[in-house]
Amino acid sequence: MEEFRIDLRIPNEAREKEIKRAAELCFKINGTMPGSPENRELIEELFSNGVDKTTVINPPVFTLLGNTVKLGKNIVLMNGFKCMSAGGLTIEDNTLVAINCTILTNNHDFYDRPILTCKPVHIKKNVWIGANVTILPGVTVGENAIVGACSVVTKDVPDNAVVVGNPAKVIKYLNKDKFKEN
């Protein structure tokens, strides 16, 4: 995945406007009754690329750039979902993300810290991400994969793999023929 860079010393009105919009919406989402129509409207406004009616997002939630997140159908994001999404985040259909997960698509240059280094993260279909997982920039998590609780994912996860640890490593592969159709 191609890296791109953002120099935070250079004013970017559109970016600053989106950061303010997302921060205000996250604050409102996290202060309204979960599951209420008001909460749902705010979530749909935050993730402006669309939130399918089958997708459930449980507050609290945090993102700086809701407009860089693309969500599929039948996704569950449990409480405490956080993403730094300057590099772009795609989560495909039938994905479960457990409590307190963090997805990072950006980092800082080691030697010039006002520079953000950005790489997209792609979570493919039918993935299960366990509690307290961190996924780092540039990672693709393959279809049907499972990421075990408290793992730190630093590299791509193959389709049908189960990964655990810090850094996450493959411990087994699932039989793709056993999956039920959703």
Side-chain angles (χ1 to χ4, degrees):
M1 300 202 177
E2 286 292 315
E3 175 182 281
F4 66 93
R5 300 163 73 80
I6 299 171
D7 189 337
L8 298 175
R9 295 169 290 217
I10 299 171
N12 181 322
E13 189 176 321
R15 179 180 160 74
E16 291 164 14
K17 184 177 177 182
E18 175 58 17
I19 289 171
K20 183 178 186 302
R21 183 190 80 86
E24 289 173 357
L25 285 166
C26 287
F27 181 83
K28 290 176 184 177
I29 289 165
N30 299 335
T32 60
M33 182 63 69
S36 69
E38 178 187 9
N39 187 263
R40 182 63 184 202
E41 288 171 17
L42 292 166
I43 287 169
E44 289 174 1
E45 188 176 345
L46 173 63
F47 297 109
S48 55
N49 286 315
V51 180
D52 188 78
K53 63 181 175 155
T54 60
T55 290
V56 176
I57 300 173
N58 295 291
V61 63
F62 173 79
T63 183
L64 280 180
L65 300 166
N67 66 348
T68 61
V69 177
K70 295 177 184 157
L71 301 172
K73 297 177 182 176
N74 199 36
I75 293 171
V76 176
L77 301 179
M78 289 302 296
N79 316 76
F81 176 76
K82 298 172 285 300
C83 65
M84 300 295 290
S85 58
L89 169 61
T90 300
I91 302 176
E92 292 186 10
D93 300 348
N94 305 315
T95 293
L96 305 174
V97 180
I99 196 165
N100 292 330
C101 288
T102 302
I103 299 177
L104 306 169
T105 71
N106 47 277
N107 202 349
H108 290 272
D109 183 276
F110 290 175
Y111 301 103
D112 191 5
R113 306 246 167 98
I115 300 288
L116 285 184
T117 58
C118 304
K119 291 183 179 178
V121 170
H122 188 168
I123 312 297
K124 292 192 175 179
K125 293 178 182 178
N126 202 38
V127 170
W128 176 16
I129 298 172
N132 297 304
V133 165
T134 299
I135 298 175
L136 297 183
V139 166
T140 294
V141 179
E143 285 189 30
N144 305 316
I146 297 174
V147 180
C150 298
S151 295
V152 177
V153 184
T154 61
K155 296 179 182 172
D156 289 351
V157 175
D159 290 351
N160 308 304
V162 177
V163 298
V164 298
N166 180 4
K169 295 186 183 337
V170 176
I171 60 165
K172 71 187 265 181
Y173 284 90
L174 302 169
N175 182 341
K176 67 180 181 178
D177 297 328
K178 289 189 174 189
F179 284 97
K180 307 275 190 256
E181 288 295 320
N182 288 325

